[in-house]
Amino acid sequence: MNAIISASDLAKDLVGARPPVLLDVRWQLTAAKAAGEPPFDGRAAYEAGHLPGAVYVDLERELASAPGKAGRHPLPDFAHFGTAMRRAGVSSGTPVVVYDGGQGWAAARAWWLLRWTGHPDVRVLDGGLPSWEGSLDTSVPAPAEGDFVPEPGAGLLDADAAAALARSGVLLDARAGERYRGEVEPIDPVAGHIPGAVSAPTTENVGADGRFLPAVELRARFEGLGVTEGSRVGVYCGSGVSAAHEVLALAAAGLPAELYVGSWSEWSSDPDRPVAVGPDPQ
């Protein structure tokens, strides 16, 4: 099953025999607060206009738990996550389509969590809300309660497993190149990368229109970074959000990957963890 869906295909599915549950996960990194700007309000954006029937999901409160030693966006409490998904109408036997404001990071986080906890049919709207050409709605739906019960599966890395994978497989760093090289670090306490990790900015998974590159181009990109058929691949970023987008891109290319949710925000908070700087993985 393809992990992404175009707006035109979504429009057809919504009037088909098995219309998907729609989740609106608009979110933006709140680093803007440091400049005195108000943080992005995803719920306000949702209430101003969303895909008809879509339910808003709050990344900070429902797709993550409180920041701490485990990083800025640790895994959510699974009972809380399950309640949020059922409230949104998510059932195991019903397809789900997730979208955000176009960047794709937040939608990918929801996609990864649902897939990792056992939902069999989840896709991300390619290009997010800007790709939708139909009408928008401002009413807040009240869907029937879903039956989805999350059960954590395989494909999750902790810090030790990420460090080992950087030596035995391919560990991709999805942050911007300058953060990987340690030239800047606007958020976390230490600049640099996990020793052995390969720089693979998430922004290079998409074209100028914000949509994913064709699968053949994505596969060629990752092969150029050392990913081959059968490689064990892991991905991290700052806090496990943009890295989910990279896992999604790998899935679209037919390449399975694991996610280090704690990512650099967890790794860099531990003074005993080694840090590499510069363009060389080591």
Side-chain angles (χ1 to χ4, degrees):
M1 184 193 71
N2 198 346
I4 58 176
I5 184 171
S6 68
S8 58
D9 284 344
L10 175 58
K12 294 174 186 176
D13 285 0
L14 287 172
V15 296
R18 293 180 70 235
V21 170
L22 295 177
L23 303 181
D24 183 313
V25 198
R26 274 178 276 181
W27 169 89
Q28 289 180 14
L29 191 64
T30 56
K33 288 192 294 185
E37 300 173 22
F40 176 78
D41 188 335
R43 179 169 289 280
Y46 166 82
E47 292 175 351
H50 53 264
L51 268 62
V55 175
Y56 177 70
V57 174
D58 190 314
L59 184 147
E60 302 282 353
R61 295 178 174 83
E62 296 170 326
L63 304 182
S65 55
K69 291 183 178 180
R72 285 194 308 280
H73 294 106
L75 290 174
D77 172 82
F78 292 114
H80 181 66
F81 172 62
T83 297
M85 292 300 98
R86 292 189 292 275
R87 171 192 59 80
V90 174
S91 292
S92 296
T94 304
V96 177
V97 172
V98 191
Y99 72 91
D100 58 23
Q103 187 179 44
W105 295 3
R109 171 74 175 222
W111 166 85
W112 179 84
L113 265 173
L114 281 165
R115 293 289 292 151
W116 180 64
T117 55
H119 199 288
D121 190 351
V122 189
R123 289 171 290 175
V124 169
L125 176 59
D126 197 11
L129 186 65
S131 70
W132 182 252
E133 296 182 354
S135 62
L136 297 180
D137 195 1
T138 56
S139 62
V140 178
E145 182 88 358
D147 64 16
F148 178 68
V149 177
E151 297 182 1
L156 178 69
L157 299 172
D158 61 13
D160 289 340
L165 185 54
R167 297 188 298 269
S168 63
V170 182
L171 181 65
L172 302 176
D173 184 319
R175 299 173 301 157
E178 58 268 26
R179 291 183 70 192
Y180 170 88
R181 295 187 296 270
E183 297 166 359
V184 299
E185 182 43 67
I187 306 171
D188 293 312
V190 179
H193 60 267
I194 296 174
V198 177
S199 180
T202 293
T203 51
E204 296 178 15
N205 294 328
V206 299
D209 59 359
R211 302 183 191 188
F212 280 99
L213 300 174
V216 65
E217 293 183 26
L218 287 171
R219 193 175 185 92
R221 182 200 177 205
F222 292 121
E223 287 176 348
L225 294 170
V227 178
T228 59
E229 196 72 43
S231 296
R232 187 179 174 202
V233 183
V235 188
Y236 75 95
C237 58
S239 65
V241 178
S242 67
H245 187 277
E246 190 114 297
V247 173
L248 176 60
L250 283 153
L255 300 166
E258 299 169 86
L259 178 66
Y260 173 24
V261 172
S263 284
W264 189 249
S265 58
E266 178 186 43
W267 184 280
S268 63
S269 67
D270 183 347
D272 293 330
R273 295 283 178 190
V275 172
V277 296
D280 190 281
Q282 302 302 329

